Amino acid sequence: MSLFSEVPQAPPVAVFKLSADFREDSHPQKVNLGVGAYRTDECLPWVLPVVKKVEKLILEDSSLNHEYLPILGLPEFRSASSKVALGDDCAAIKDNRVVGVQALGGTGALRIGAEFLRRWYNGVNNTATPVYVSAPTWENHNSVFADAGFKDIRPYHYWDAANRGLDLAGLLDDLEKAPEHSIFVLHACAHNPTGTDPTQEEWKKIAEIMKRRNLFVFFDSAYQGFASGSLDKDAWAIRYFVSEGFELFVAQSFSKNFGLYNERVGNLTIVAQDGENLTRILSQMEKIVRTTWSNPPSQGARIVSKTLNCPELFAEWKGNVKTMADRVLLMRDQLKGKLQALNTPGTWEHITQQIGMFSFTGLNPKQVEFMIKERHVYLMASGRINMCGLTSSNIDYVAQSIHDAVTKVQ
Amino acid sequence: MSVFGEVALAAPVAVFKLSQDFNNDQFPNKVNLGVGAYRTDEGKPWVLPVVKKVEKVIVHDDSLNHEYLPILGLPEFRSSASKIALGEDSPAIQENRVGAVQCLGGTGALKMGAEFLRRFYNGNNNTKTPVYVSSPTWENHNAVFANAGFDDVRPYKYWDAENRGLDLSGFLGDLESCPAHSIFVLHACAHNPTGTDPTQEQWQLIAEVMMRRQLFVFFDSAYQGFASGNLDKDAWAVRYFVSMGFEMFCAQSFSKNFGLYNERVGNLTIVARDADNLKRVLSQMEKIVRTTWSNPPSQGARIVAVTLTSPELFSEWKDNVKTMADRVLLMRAQLKTKLQALGTAGTWDHITEQIGMFSFTGLNPKQVEYMVKERHIYLMASGRINMCGLTSKNIDYVAESIHETVTNVQ
């Protein structure tokens, strides 16, 4: 008799199950278009050259040791990260009303932000405040906020499947109808999984309603620089909201744009009305961090901090990011070209219109099943593909497989 | 008006406030006996030689990259870490009923274990299960379990202030009278803050009651190897409980014994009745990890895994650990001798009887205040001192200060 007899078996996280199935597949032409990590044209992981360089510098720096970081993290990492999101010349930063909390990747930043909001936003310990996440969204958003104690997590209209684009009317309508003070999780750029972002004009409309209706802005920024190749371009929405005077949170991840997935490098940027508010907020953030991970891991934060704070390394990093973004753009371009050349039914403009790592192909679950079982091309049941999984060696096979799926399976 | 206008200012974490005050103090002979980190005889942090060596190996290993670790962590870290706690030849390991979750230091391991127990132990989501922590205990224990959702965190008798030792009868009394299925947080060795551990016979008595009354065993093991200089000796209690057939958790930290404080290296070792129960437990652990930090940081775990799985490096590590433990033992012996030589009132045997980094001096709050304000020697209000803060250069000043304090302040 075990204390754990009644513990149910939890289903595996879908994207990792997909990768596990892919690994077990012995088909010579198998392709993994599942999990969101960058791959080179040789289909290999890529440690950014600037990262390799900085890792050596860190190793050789005998002034460094492994003493605990402050609870809120490495100071130079925090400030440099917030600057990357908000811009060097950000007025809010100059006004001393911006601060970062080093966190465990984007997930960790979302989590401590959510924990803080549940304790202190819209009353004290108000677990009933609605939290809106896009339909669809990253599969973990819902659970992070639920585990932080929020009882009411709802979808907001986002993806228009019929037109393969943003359902702006639905989104704006949800903003108008949401209870005041509701929390909205917005994707800063390169929406996961649809790759479809609002235009600047659309962001302005969104912001207008959110301000008028006192809705809380919580940006998830996991792809800055990776989406368009330009850090500033990818941060436009965040900076616009800040310039409009919102108090807001931004959960930043450096997993993708630094390729530092496994060192868990994230930052929760907090924009408050003034510095006095920040002091109190940070004191409560310390309490939350202390009971979760005590203080954050150093290695990844040091790498990012050193890079961002040194002009030459920063320039080299931007070059590395552009390399990744450009390869993705090339694959998008070529995939669309090949599907059009094959005369695959349907329109494929969305492949190049969508932004970032992912594309919502529009393949339905049956077609996805065909892709996996018959063609050994692994993608998410939603039809989401990771463009990084495409290479010059496999793109013809993938295009042909999509063509077969669309023509043979309805 | 800020949305954060009502956020209360939280009190700073005492031990970090103490260090901050120390840092701000200009007094030339100031001594920091507060925060629990090892210091050399020069009063400096120490990066273990074996760690420096392995960091070089890692940076030059081109087969490594920064791809996400599995949710539960680096497999070779998890298994080697559990072996360290339970022993190479542990029958439970051979029976495939031991599993592990790589976590963010000891704090993260406690947190993951607490979150699991709140969801699945003693019913589903039973927030009422009493959690007992020693009186006194590490200041974060209470908060970790409370934030995991437990409503009833209580003290169990532990420190007998009058006799400066373990209050065994009080402890056993609490074990006999507590509600069945209560969770008990036990310090595996080098109790923080008292430095007072049960003897092997006393552990046997504790285990007997816990088994009979179906109490849950949750070990906190932050000082293995560091306490006596011997890994096996320091793990005796943990291994005894496993051999008695308990299903239990052990939160392991490698912050101190590897000096890897800021890389957040921890492991939650889980001992279950059998492999099937273990499997279901781990599947639920994945869900909890996924919404907290998604997957753990690599650097520290790699250093530890490489070290533990290489016979030469493992041997070198054990030597480094012994170096630290021996210096602490030397400081204990010298401090006691000096106090006795000064004829300082009271008995000072507890200084050498206590184990690990900390000593509960017996100084009362007024005396502590005197030490801090008049002598610029920083220690916790509880009278706890970190032996690692003592050096051949400051030990005379500290001994004299204690003498003066005890003599002049009541």
Side-chain angles (χ1 to χ4, degrees):
Chain A
M1 197 51 213
S2 166
L3 298 172
F4 308 125
S5 305
E6 304 303 306
V7 176
Q9 175 73 24
V13 176
V15 68
F16 298 129
K17 172 83 173 52
L18 192 77
S19 282
D21 291 346
F22 171 81
R23 271 193 299 274
E24 282 167 26
D25 188 334
S26 46
H27 193 268
Q29 282 177 299
K30 65 179 181 176
V31 183
N32 188 355
L33 301 179
V35 72
Y38 179 78
R39 292 285 176 269
T40 63
D41 196 58
E42 288 74 39
C43 210
L44 291 171
W46 194 47
V47 177
L48 274 56
V50 72
V51 167
K52 261 263 156 271
K53 180 183 284 189
V54 174
E55 283 174 327
K56 290 202 171 82
L57 289 174
I58 286 171
L59 184 74
E60 284 149 18
D61 186 349
S62 51
S63 76
L64 297 177
N65 57 41
H66 286 296
E67 294 303 292
Y68 289 121
L69 287 183
I71 297 177
L72 300 178
L74 189 67
E76 50 269 40
F77 166 80
R78 299 162 56 201
S79 53
S81 302
S82 293
K83 280 211 175 91
V84 164
L86 268 41
D88 268 333
D89 53 355
C90 173
I93 293 181
K94 292 188 167 70
D95 289 343
N96 294 316
R97 55 190 193 86
V98 173
V99 79
V101 178
Q102 184 186 337
L104 278 280
T107 302
L110 285 164
R111 179 60 180 257
I112 58 173
E115 291 279 354
F116 176 89
L117 291 173
R118 189 262 297 162
R119 283 165 173 71
W120 299 106
Y121 173 71
N122 196 27
V124 174
N125 204 39
N126 187 353
T127 59
T129 301
V131 177
Y132 283 81
V133 300
S134 65
T137 193
W138 181 46
E139 121 285 333
N140 204 18
H141 275 148
N142 204 302
S143 316
V144 168
F145 281 84
D147 278 16
F150 285 103
K151 303 254 178 284
D152 185 357
I153 298 162
R154 315 175 179 184
Y156 60 85
H157 288 89
Y158 195 84
W159 174 247
D160 178 351
N163 298 309
R164 281 200 198 140
L166 179 68
D167 177 4
L168 182 68
L171 171 47
L172 296 178
D173 194 53
D174 282 336
L175 291 172
E176 291 285 8
K177 295 204 166 83
E180 255 205 324
H181 308 301
S182 293
I183 295 164
F184 274 73
V185 180
L186 308 174
H187 297 230
C189 71
H191 183 272
N192 176 5
T194 69
T196 300
D197 293 338
T199 61
Q200 290 184 6
E201 297 318 305
E202 289 166 344
W203 273 124
K204 286 180 183 169
K205 292 197 170 107
I206 292 164
E208 189 272 322
I209 303 174
M210 293 190 78
K211 184 185 287 194
R212 174 164 39 82
R213 306 213 56 253
N214 293 313
L215 305 173
F216 188 83
V217 177
F218 199 149
F219 273 112
D220 183 348
S221 178
Y223 302 98
Q224 189 184 359
F226 202 103
S228 70
S230 158
L231 291 169
D232 296 316
K233 191 157 183 280
D234 290 350
W236 186 88
I238 295 171
R239 296 175 189 184
Y240 176 73
F241 275 71
V242 173
S243 72
E244 286 291 297
F246 283 89
E247 291 182 295
L248 53 86
F249 285 0
V250 185
Q252 302 170 257
S253 168
F254 292 93
S255 291
K256 282 85 176 174
N257 58 18
F258 260 88
L260 281 172
Y261 308 91
N262 72 6
E263 301 296 358
R264 317 311 294 121
V265 201
N267 191 51
L268 178 70
T269 285
I270 300 164
V271 182
Q273 201 160 83
D274 54 52
E276 193 275 325
N277 276 289
L278 272 187
T279 305
R280 285 179 284 107
I281 294 166
L282 287 180
S283 74
Q284 294 297 344
M285 284 291 183
E286 280 200 355
K287 283 186 73 170
I288 293 166
V289 167
R290 178 80 172 143
T291 65
T292 315
W293 52 68
S294 239
N295 42 79
S298 170
Q299 180 72 355
R302 269 192 190 149
I303 293 169
V304 171
S305 173
K306 234 174 146 48
T307 305
L308 296 183
N309 285 310
C310 162
E312 293 85 24
L313 294 172
F314 184 58
E316 186 174 344
W317 171 57
K318 285 195 287 186
N320 290 172
V321 172
K322 194 161 187 312
T323 296
M324 293 190 286
D326 284 351
R327 196 178 99 64
V328 168
L329 288 168
L330 180 66
M331 290 299 103
R332 285 188 178 280
D333 210 54
Q334 290 188 349
L335 182 62
K336 179 176 92 172
K338 287 178 191 297
L339 290 171
Q340 287 172 339
L342 287 167
N343 282 316
T344 309
T347 59
W348 299 99
E349 296 303 319
H350 58 285
I351 301 243
T352 47
Q353 279 162 0
Q354 287 163 3
I355 300 162
M357 208 180 259
F358 303 115
S359 177
F360 234 34
T361 53
L363 294 174
N364 66 39
K366 279 205 162 103
Q367 294 166 332
V368 169
E369 205 187 335
F370 174 88
M371 291 283 281
I372 296 172
K373 291 199 152 58
E374 305 302 324
R375 292 285 180 263
H376 307 271
V377 175
Y378 289 73
L379 66 159
M380 303 301 290
S382 61
R384 184 193 90 171
I385 60 173
N386 177 5
M387 302 307 296
C388 303
L390 292 173
T391 70
S392 50
S393 305
N394 68 25
I395 194 164
D396 285 315
Y397 179 69
V398 172
Q400 186 63 53
S401 302
I402 293 176
H403 181 85
D404 291 343
V406 170
T407 48
K408 293 183 159 65
V409 182
Q410 265 76 54
Chain B
M1 192 53 213
S2 166
V3 302
F4 305 122
E6 304 302 306
V7 175
L9 183 70
V13 177
V15 68
F16 297 129
K17 171 82 172 52
L18 192 77
S19 281
Q20 212 181 312
D21 292 345
F22 171 81
N23 289 335
N24 292 335
D25 189 333
Q26 308 289 334
F27 191 78
N29 288 345
K30 63 179 182 177
V31 183
N32 188 354
L33 301 182
V35 73
Y38 179 77
R39 291 287 176 270
T40 63
D41 196 58
E42 288 73 41
K44 295 214 158 53
W46 193 47
V47 177
L48 273 57
V50 73
V51 166
K52 260 259 155 276
K53 181 183 283 191
V54 174
E55 285 173 327
K56 284 198 177 77
V57 168
I58 286 171
V59 114
H60 291 117
D61 185 347
D62 289 326
S63 76
L64 298 177
N65 57 43
H66 287 296
E67 294 303 292
Y68 289 121
L69 288 183
I71 297 177
L72 298 181
L74 190 67
E76 50 269 40
F77 166 78
R78 295 160 59 206
S79 54
S80 59
S82 292
K83 280 210 176 92
I84 283 289
L86 267 39
E88 272 292 328
D89 51 357
S90 167
I93 292 180
Q94 277 151 17
E95 288 157 18
N96 293 316
R97 55 191 192 85
V98 174
V101 181
Q102 180 189 337
C103 292
L104 278 279
T107 302
L110 287 163
K111 167 80 168 181
M112 289 299 103
E115 292 278 352
F116 176 89
L117 291 173
R118 190 261 296 162
R119 284 164 173 71
F120 292 110
Y121 173 70
N122 196 27
N124 270 341
N125 206 38
N126 187 353
T127 60
K128 308 243 168 298
T129 302
V131 178
Y132 283 81
V133 299
S134 66
S135 176
T137 194
W138 180 46
E139 122 287 331
N140 205 18
H141 275 148
N142 203 304
V144 168
F145 281 85
N147 275 269
F150 285 103
D151 291 329
D152 187 357
V153 183
R154 316 175 179 183
Y156 61 85
K157 296 189 183 60
Y158 195 84
W159 174 246
D160 177 347
E162 225 186 286
N163 298 309
R164 281 197 198 142
L166 179 68
D167 177 5
L168 182 69
S169 58
F171 188 175
L172 294 175
D174 283 340
L175 291 171
E176 291 284 7
S177 61
C178 70
H181 309 299
S182 293
I183 296 163
F184 273 73
V185 180
L186 308 175
H187 297 230
C189 70
H191 183 271
N192 176 5
T194 69
T196 299
D197 293 340
T199 61
Q200 289 185 5
E201 280 67 37
Q202 292 170 337
W203 274 124
Q204 287 171 337
L205 292 172
I206 291 161
E208 190 274 323
V209 182
M210 292 190 78
M211 178 71 81
R212 176 165 37 84
R213 304 215 56 249
Q214 298 178 296
L215 306 175
F216 188 84
V217 176
F218 200 149
F219 272 111
D220 183 348
S221 178
Y223 302 99
Q224 190 185 359
F226 202 103
S228 69
N230 181 292
L231 291 168
D232 297 314
K233 189 157 185 281
D234 289 350
W236 187 88
V238 173
R239 295 175 190 184
Y240 176 75
F241 275 69
V242 174
S243 73
M244 292 310 297
F246 283 90
E247 290 182 295
M248 49 184 260
F249 287 177
C250 181
Q252 303 170 257
S253 169
F254 292 92
S255 291
K256 281 87 176 173
N257 58 18
F258 261 85
L260 281 172
Y261 308 91
N262 73 7
E263 301 296 359
R264 316 310 295 122
V265 200
N267 193 50
L268 178 69
T269 285
I270 299 161
V271 183
R273 184 68 62 226
D274 54 49
D276 178 67
N277 276 290
L278 180 66
K279 178 167 159 294
R280 284 178 282 103
V281 168
L282 289 177
S283 75
Q284 294 295 344
M285 285 289 184
E286 280 200 356
K287 283 187 71 171
I288 297 168
V289 168
R290 178 81 172 142
T291 65
T292 315
W293 53 66
S294 242
N295 43 80
S298 170
Q299 181 72 356
R302 264 189 194 151
I303 293 169
V304 172
V306 168
T307 306
L308 296 183
T309 55
S310 149
E312 296 85 20
L313 294 171
F314 182 58
S315 183
E316 188 175 342
W317 172 58
K318 285 195 286 187
D319 277 345
N320 290 172
V321 171
K322 194 160 186 314
T323 295
M324 294 190 285
D326 284 351
R327 195 179 99 64
V328 167
L329 288 168
L330 180 66
M331 290 298 104
R332 285 187 180 280
Q334 290 188 350
L335 181 62
K336 178 176 95 173
T337 302
K338 287 179 192 294
L339 290 170
Q340 287 172 341
L342 287 165
T344 311
T347 59
W348 299 99
D349 290 325
H350 57 284
I351 301 243
T352 47
E353 279 160 12
Q354 287 162 3
I355 299 162
M357 211 180 256
F358 303 115
S359 177
F360 233 33
T361 54
L363 294 174
N364 66 39
K366 275 203 163 107
Q367 293 168 331
V368 170
E369 203 187 340
Y370 182 88
M371 288 279 282
V372 175
K373 288 199 152 60
E374 302 303 323
R375 311 295 290 187
H376 306 270
I377 294 173
Y378 290 74
L379 67 158
M380 303 301 291
S382 60
R384 183 192 91 169
I385 60 173
N386 177 6
M387 302 306 298
C388 303
L390 293 172
T391 69
S392 51
K393 294 194 174 54
N394 68 26
I395 195 165
D396 283 317
Y397 178 66
V398 172
E400 279 154 22
S401 300
I402 293 176
H403 179 82
E404 201 196 284
T405 306
V406 167
T407 316
N408 293 327
V409 183
Q410 267 77 54

